[in-house]
């Protein structure tokens, strides 16, 4: 029998009525003759509430204990959804991530899936049971609980679909699909019927949290048929796929990422090997660096600025401070009041002037650009975070009006 994986996000299971809404949709798919594996996230704001509870007790808890705590949210929703499906008279079983066979590395808080042993899931499907799996969680080689990073239930769902050979993976959420930008910031945003894996991967990595970026990577690698759609209506969603019939769209979407901090290393000696020394040390300590800007040398000195996530800021500053004797810089500066606005689309490959159009929209709105970075299918700029919404709106208008 064909298998469908359906993932429901936190807002889709936030209360009793919503849990029953999901239960009915799942049962409908089951009664249409499919084997159904459902992945759910924690209800509503549960994960945020757990983070707050932890902060009241210890502002700097170990990552292991944090994952122990955060994984509980999903366990609540799987059991409640299974109970709702029981009332509808359909055989069902809920499984934690580890019962479903998820094994991950030990990188608590952003663990990567290493394998999924699907034996148990296959046994339950053979008994014609609907399976409800807790998203976002697994076990490492020490049998410690790990989580996959915020939004990681999407990745759990796509990984199951890839591993078990599901016919498709449906991601149900609180919007009708993937839009040209976050419809909560720009109400005129347009829903996309289709988007390529590469475009979706860029958008997700650049802050469009409608899909977890790892989920898109896995879907691309294993060519999983992926659709993003609403839990609350039955309209067609957005298909994420390898290639799509090119519409006349220069760009596919605008994304915003608030989780950015900028570090400037000022007054470095203008010598070969300096950039290597700065970034190799950061890389060794597991710090991901994003946009990099190096000034041209003057008076035998240069500056290097770059961005990291806010969570890595303190560690990065401490590492650089610790290397001050080797790097011989004059000053270390940082800013957190910034955000990154990006445009993404394969249409920009053969169309010069796309970046200029974005810069003009920002200029017309009086928004200053601190840093720029480009790749084949994206342009990102760093701006003051107070202008984030405005920037998304004006850039979106420039391309989609
Ligand atoms: P879930 O709880 O279902 O996983 P998320 O909050 O993680 O839902 O993701 C859905 C949200 O993503 C939407 O409510 C929307 O505000 C936001 N979003 C950001 N960018 C986009 C986009 N380009 N298209 C659709 N939604 C987007
Ligand atoms: N509950 C987790 C979170 O809030 C995982 C998810 O929703 O996908 O990030
Ligand atoms: Mg999500």
């Amino acid at each position: 029998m064909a298998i469908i994986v359906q993932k429901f996000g936190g807002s889709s299971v936030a209360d009793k009525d919503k849990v029953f809404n999901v239960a009915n949709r799942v049962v409908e798919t089951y009664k249409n003759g499919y084997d159904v594996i459902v992945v759910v996230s924690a209800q509503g704001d549960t994960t945020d509430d757990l983070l707050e509870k932890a902060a009241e007790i210890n502002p700097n808890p170990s990552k292991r204990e944090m994952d122990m705590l955060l994984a509980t949210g999903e366990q609540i929703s799987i059991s409640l959804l299974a109970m709702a499906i029981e009332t509808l008279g359909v055989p069902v079983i809920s499984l934690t991530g580890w019962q479903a066979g998820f094994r991950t590395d030990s990188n608590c808080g952003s663990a990567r899936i290493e394998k999924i042993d699907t034996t148990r899931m296959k046994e339950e499907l053979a008994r014609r049971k609907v399976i409800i799996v807790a998203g976002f969680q697994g076990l490492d080689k020490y049998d410690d609980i790990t989580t996959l990073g915020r939004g990681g239930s999407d990745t759990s769902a796509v990984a199951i679909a890839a591993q078990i050979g599901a016919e498709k993976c449906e991601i149900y959420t609180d919007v009708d699909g993937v839009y040209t930008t976050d419809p909560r910031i720009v109400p005129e945003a347009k829903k996309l019927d289709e988007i390529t894996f590469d475009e979706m991967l860029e958008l997700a990595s650049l802050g469009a949290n409608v899909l977890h970026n790892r989920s898109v990577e896995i879907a691309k690698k294993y060519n999983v048929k992926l659709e993003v759609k609403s839990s609350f209506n039955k309209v067609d969603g957005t298909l994420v796929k390898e290639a799509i019939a090119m519409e006349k769209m220069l760009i596919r979407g605008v994304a915003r990422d608030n989780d950015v901090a900028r570090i400037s290393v000022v007054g470095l000696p203008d010598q070969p090997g300096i950039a290597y020394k700065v970034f190799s040390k950061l890389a060794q300590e597991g710090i991901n660096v994003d946009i990099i800007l190096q000034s041209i040398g003057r008076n035998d000195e240069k500056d290097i600025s770059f961005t990291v996530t806010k969570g890595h800021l303190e560690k990065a500053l401490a590492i650089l401070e610790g290397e001050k004797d080797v790097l011989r810089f004059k000053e270390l500066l940082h800013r957190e009041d910034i955000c990154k606005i990006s445009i993404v689309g394969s249409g920009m490959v053969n169309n010069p002037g796309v970046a200029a159009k974005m810069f003009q929209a920002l200029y017309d709105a009086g928004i200053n650009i601190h840093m720029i970075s480009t790749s084949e299918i994206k342009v990102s700029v760093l701006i003051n975070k107070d202008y984030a919404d405005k920037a998304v709106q004006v850039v979106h208008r420039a391309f989609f009006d």
Side-chain angles (χ1 to χ4, degrees):
M1 205 168 292
I3 304 172
I4 286 197
V5 177
Q6 300 185 315
K7 179 258 168 179
F8 294 88
S11 45
S12 305
V13 290
D15 57 32
K16 180 189 110 190
D17 290 344
K18 289 180 174 152
V19 169
F20 271 105
N21 171 55
V22 170
N24 281 309
R25 294 195 76 139
V26 168
V27 165
E28 194 183 319
T29 311
Y30 175 87
K31 290 195 169 156
N32 282 338
Y34 285 99
D35 277 341
V36 191
I37 302 178
V38 181
V39 174
V40 274
S41 303
Q43 290 185 289
D45 297 328
T46 304
T47 309
D48 290 327
D49 295 346
L50 291 170
L51 284 165
E52 256 173 52
K53 263 191 209 299
E56 282 170 15
I57 303 275
N58 178 350
N60 227 338
S62 64
K63 289 184 157 190
R64 182 192 182 278
E65 297 312 327
M66 192 55 117
D67 276 4
M68 186 69 109
L69 178 69
L70 293 188
T72 61
E74 271 65 15
Q75 210 170 320
I76 296 173
S77 34
I78 54 167
S79 47
L80 292 177
L81 179 58
M83 290 176 196
I85 291 175
E86 281 174 353
T87 70
L88 302 176
V90 165
V92 59
I93 183 164
S94 65
L95 299 175
T96 60
W98 39 99
Q99 288 174 319
F102 275 81
R103 287 286 172 171
T104 73
D105 64 19
S106 296
N107 202 355
C108 287
S110 52
R112 287 173 79 98
I113 299 165
E114 288 184 337
K115 72 166 200 227
I116 308 173
D117 177 350
T118 55
T119 315
R120 174 78 186 268
M121 284 194 285
K122 284 184 178 146
E123 283 166 11
E124 301 298 351
L125 289 182
R127 297 186 186 109
R128 268 303 272 157
K129 285 195 187 173
V130 170
I131 303 178
I132 317 289
V133 180
F136 169 65
Q137 53 175 244
L139 273 194
D140 73 1
K141 63 180 175 201
Y142 307 109
D143 285 349
D144 281 332
I145 295 175
T146 55
T147 66
L148 308 182
R150 297 304 306 268
S153 299
D154 300 331
T155 298
S156 309
V158 175
I160 292 176
Q163 183 74 34
I164 212 155
E167 187 177 292
K168 68 189 284 200
C169 180
E170 298 173 332
I171 306 286
Y172 288 89
T173 183
D174 56 357
V175 286
D176 293 352
V178 180
Y179 279 69
T180 48
T181 193
D182 190 337
R184 286 180 209 289
I185 304 179
V186 181
E188 314 83 79
K190 297 177 177 58
K191 193 181 84 185
L192 299 165
D193 294 334
E194 299 181 328
I195 185 168
T196 67
F197 286 130
D198 288 335
E199 290 170 328
M200 191 61 236
L201 188 54
E202 287 284 9
L203 277 180
S205 307
L206 293 167
N209 53 349
V210 61
L211 279 179
H212 193 231
N213 60 351
R214 284 279 299 138
S215 72
V216 188
E217 260 173 43
I218 297 173
K220 179 178 161 70
K221 185 165 173 195
Y222 297 96
N223 208 8
V224 174
K225 197 167 168 203
L226 184 62
E227 183 174 3
V228 179
K229 55 206 296 192
S230 169
S231 300
F232 306 117
N233 62 44
K234 295 219 165 163
V235 302
D236 286 342
T238 302
L239 289 173
V240 190
K241 49 205 275 206
E242 188 57 52
I244 63 177
M246 256 326 225
E247 293 167 61
K248 273 199 236 96
M249 259 187 184
L250 274 182
I251 69 164
R252 194 77 55 198
V254 183
R256 175 180 82 170
D257 188 356
N258 291 332
D259 187 13
V260 191
R262 186 180 79 182
I263 296 178
S264 297
V265 197
V266 179
L268 286 156
D270 189 15
Q271 289 165 358
I274 285 293
Y276 164 70
K277 283 183 193 152
V278 170
F279 294 115
S280 60
K281 192 70 195 167
L282 294 170
Q284 273 165 27
E285 303 286 336
I287 296 195
N288 273 328
V289 168
D290 185 24
I291 306 180
I292 299 177
L293 187 75
Q294 178 177 300
S295 69
I296 50 167
R298 59 186 141 61
N299 305 330
D300 297 326
E301 280 185 0
K302 65 184 171 191
D303 309 332
I304 293 182
S305 297
F306 57 90
T307 61
V308 294
T309 59
K310 288 198 165 81
H312 277 161
L313 176 65
E314 263 179 50
K315 192 170 166 195
L317 289 172
I319 292 168
L320 292 169
E321 207 51 71
E323 294 290 301
K324 194 164 183 183
D325 290 347
V326 182
L327 296 170
R328 291 183 291 124
F329 55 82
K330 293 223 167 94
E331 231 185 327
L332 198 55
L333 306 173
H334 69 273
R335 282 183 75 157
E336 287 187 83
D337 59 343
I338 49 170
C339 74
K340 183 166 66 175
I341 308 292
S342 308
I343 53 173
V344 170
S346 344
M348 69 175 74
V349 175
N350 297 316
N351 285 288
V354 172
K357 191 169 178 161
M358 178 190 198
F359 303 154
Q360 182 180 358
L362 294 168
Y363 166 65
D364 289 345
I367 298 171
N368 190 30
I369 300 173
H370 298 311
M371 285 168 104
I372 300 171
S373 119
T374 64
S375 78
E376 211 181 20
I377 64 163
K378 69 134 209 245
V379 180
S380 298
V381 297
L382 217 59
I383 61 163
N384 188 307
K385 81 169 180 2
D386 294 341
Y387 302 115
D389 285 0
K390 177 105 192 270
V392 172
Q393 280 153 7
V394 297
V395 171
H396 187 270
R397 199 174 308 137
F399 287 96
F400 294 104
D401 255 7

